[in-house]
Amino acid sequence: MSKLAIDGGIPVRSEQDSSPTHNFGEDDIKVISQVIKSGVLLKVPAGPEVAAFQDEYSKRYGIKYGVMVNSGTSAMHTCIGALNPDPGDEIITTAWTSGGSIIGILLQNCVPIFADIDETMCLDPAEVESKITSRTKAILVVNLMGNIANVRELRKIADKHGIYLIEDCCQSHFSEDNGVTAGSLADIAGVSFGGKHLNLGGGGMILTNNTELWDRARLFIDAALPRKTTSLDGQPYANYFLAPNYKVNEIMGAMGRVQLTKVDGYVDSKIRSANNIIEGLSDCKEITPQMVRPGVKHTYWGLRFTLDTEALNCTANEYAEAISAEGIPCAGPYLGTPEHGPLYKNPFLAEPNLYGNSRFPLDYNRETPIDYRKINNSFGENFMSKGIGFSMKPFFTEEYVGQIIEANKKVISSFKQKGN
Ligand SMILES: Cc1ncc(COP(=O)(O)O)c(C=O)c1O
């Protein structure tokens, strides 16, 4: 058995992979310079490039309307703002996601209620239904890593209880469930362009088939000003409700249109590499890939596995460090360890650090304020603490994919033997 690199042995790979994450080229530069030369950087409610990108992007999802904004966090905030909830309304969601999924809930003075996840690493529908109360306004499901949650079941639950379904597709551009694109079953969905499959170095999009939500989303991202083509068109100039400015400039729209022509290539390549890695490790029972439900096309923004840490005699972080030492960057549990991992353990919720020294909105119209220190999504905490992951890039070579498999096999066999 060869000695692990972490113990001074020869690494599987001597140099870090330096392949690019995206193909940015002359075509991007050309459209950006055209925008700058045009002198039109911003138009309201949307300039020609932003409007065209909104249209082209939402068409790719088979969704009627797209509204471009300056980040995924603002897209998710706008999804909440479009519903116009009352303070203290509850939104059921997952604790294993970026803070950007839920910050908008709190900024609208609503409260996130955390339901547990299942092996897909996304919300468990039964858990969600058990959390519904008279104050539940919506379910916010996050399609983690490019996977798709059981959104069909969540749609049924939302309809049964007369509440909204919001989908966070920030990590799941173009993922599909039996031919239906991520985001399509929700009332309103959000996407991020900050380092995701389609990457503009920032930016995001709201997607919806609902004309009223589309209208309110467009007003919400533009300080509720009476712009042409919105329902406030023709009203005197004024701010009509409390809303931020999340608009984007034309450069982002123009670059989005170019990147949209390349994104299929990125996605196909990542899926191919991920499937080859999963296949190559299929005989290692100590490492199990994120569960993908039948008929789901996972687009592998990230490739995550769960370890049998008992059989391997290690923690997920120890495993990740050993793989990284082999020259293959590997991350430990998503969002950190159980002590810091799920969002409800982050200081902004646990202390809480929300609005000054108050507990607002966690105590709004409630006899007992919500106390996130008492939350325990036990399945998720245990399951996600055993997770490791690899960032996926579209230009991985076959050699590199083979080395990812080799490094895992080397570490698995060594760790198993150490325990004997
Ligand atoms: C699931 C999810 N939601 C929301 C966001 C926030 O997106 P952004 O970073 O563009 O604000 C992210 C970003 O990583 C994310 O992964």
Side-chain angles (χ1 to χ4, degrees):
M1 188 183 62
S2 53
K3 197 170 173 187
L4 292 182
I6 203 162
D7 296 330
I10 298 164
V12 168
R13 192 178 167 89
S14 52
E15 276 175 29
Q16 291 267 321
D17 164 64
S18 58
S19 66
T21 57
H22 296 80
N23 170 11
F24 300 130
E26 288 304 321
D27 41 2
D28 298 280
I29 294 167
K30 186 173 160 202
V31 295
I32 290 169
S33 69
Q34 276 168 354
V35 169
I36 294 169
K37 283 178 192 159
S38 78
V40 181
L41 291 186
L42 181 74
K43 259 193 161 180
V44 289
E49 293 297 333
V50 168
F53 180 50
Q54 288 177 160
D55 200 39
E56 289 160 14
Y57 190 81
S58 55
K59 271 210 180 84
R60 280 292 316 275
Y61 283 76
I63 294 180
K64 227 165 161 181
Y65 306 114
V67 182
M68 195 178 182
V69 287
N70 59 6
S71 74
T73 305
S74 356
M76 297 317 301
H77 183 192
T78 305
C79 289
I80 308 294
L83 308 185
N84 196 19
D86 285 323
D89 278 357
E90 298 173 357
I91 302 203
I92 302 172
T93 191
T94 168
W96 282 274
T97 184
S98 154
S101 300
I102 68 151
I103 285 166
I105 298 177
L106 291 149
L107 289 176
Q108 286 310 111
N109 300 322
C110 296
V111 289
I113 301 291
F114 294 104
D116 213 339
I117 54 172
D118 58 26
E119 283 94 344
T120 63
M121 302 184 184
C122 306
L123 281 176
D124 174 347
E127 276 285 314
V128 168
E129 191 157 25
S130 75
K131 303 268 190 254
I132 291 178
T133 71
S134 59
R135 298 182 77 169
T136 307
K137 181 81 176 176
I139 300 165
L140 191 166
V141 59
V142 180
N143 295 318
L144 205 69
M145 298 291 145
N147 203 2
I148 298 199
N150 194 345
V151 179
R152 288 168 193 276
E153 195 53 36
L154 292 170
R155 177 73 267 171
K156 282 189 209 151
I157 293 170
D159 290 344
K160 182 169 139 197
H161 294 273
I163 56 179
Y164 288 104
L165 179 64
I166 306 167
E167 215 169 330
D168 179 335
C169 302
C170 289
Q171 300 181 3
S172 61
H173 304 181
F174 311 114
S175 302
E176 288 176 21
D177 180 348
N178 293 281
V180 176
T181 314
S184 311
L185 295 182
D187 295 292
I188 191 161
V191 165
S192 161
F193 302 132
K196 303 300 191 297
H197 289 316
L198 197 151
N199 177 20
L200 305 176
M205 184 88 81
I206 296 110
L207 297 164
T208 182
N209 284 312
N210 181 314
T211 309
E212 277 172 33
L213 295 182
W214 173 62
D215 183 57
R216 187 154 174 114
R218 287 195 306 153
L219 295 168
F220 188 82
I221 69 156
D222 192 16
L225 290 164
R227 305 296 191 194
K228 283 206 166 33
T229 74
T230 70
S231 57
L232 292 176
D233 190 3
Q235 299 291 325
Y237 187 88
N239 299 97
Y240 282 82
F241 56 84
L242 179 63
N245 171 8
Y246 287 160
K247 296 191 300 296
V248 277
N249 65 45
E250 284 284 278
I251 293 173
M252 307 235 0
M255 190 169 165
R257 297 179 72 193
V258 175
Q259 286 297 310
L260 188 56
T261 66
K262 303 182 188 179
V263 72
D264 287 331
Y266 307 152
V267 169
D268 290 349
S269 166
K270 289 184 204 182
I271 293 174
R272 221 173 17 252
S273 297
N275 284 338
N276 286 340
I277 296 164
I278 290 169
E279 173 63 28
L281 292 172
S282 58
D283 54 349
C284 303
K285 58 183 187 324
E286 299 80 10
I287 181 166
T288 309
Q290 181 179 17
M291 189 182 121
V292 181
R293 288 175 314 100
V296 166
K297 177 179 168 188
H298 190 315
T299 51
Y300 293 105
W301 178 66
L303 173 60
R304 293 210 67 89
F305 293 90
T306 309
L307 302 176
D308 181 342
T309 48
E310 269 179 35
L312 292 167
N313 308 291
C314 68
T315 64
N317 276 324
E318 285 164 349
Y319 186 95
E321 278 162 27
I323 297 284
S324 300
E326 298 295 336
I328 309 286
C330 177
Y334 180 59
L335 302 178
T337 60
E339 291 74 47
H340 308 103
L343 286 179
Y344 53 77
K345 293 195 174 180
N346 280 221
F348 80 121
L349 293 178
E351 291 197 10
N353 280 334
L354 296 167
Y355 295 99
N357 290 320
S358 79
R359 298 190 77 81
F360 184 80
L362 310 181
D363 58 357
Y364 184 72
N365 269 347
R366 279 171 208 279
E367 275 178 19
T368 319
I370 290 173
D371 184 349
Y372 289 113
R373 287 167 306 184
K374 294 189 178 145
I375 308 286
N376 178 11
N377 290 167
S378 55
F379 176 82
E381 289 204 13
N382 180 43
F383 187 68
M384 296 302 269
S385 72
K386 298 175 181 174
I388 56 123
F390 301 93
S391 295
M392 298 304 287
K393 292 200 217 165
F395 303 104
F396 281 169
T397 58
E398 268 182 42
E399 183 197 25
Y400 187 66
V401 166
Q403 287 168 331
I404 296 179
I405 298 166
E406 190 186 334
N408 278 281
K409 288 194 164 174
K410 183 178 170 189
V411 169
I412 290 169
S413 116
S414 173
F415 276 14
K416 263 168 50 181
Q417 290 200 9
K418 266 190 192 167
N420 292 333

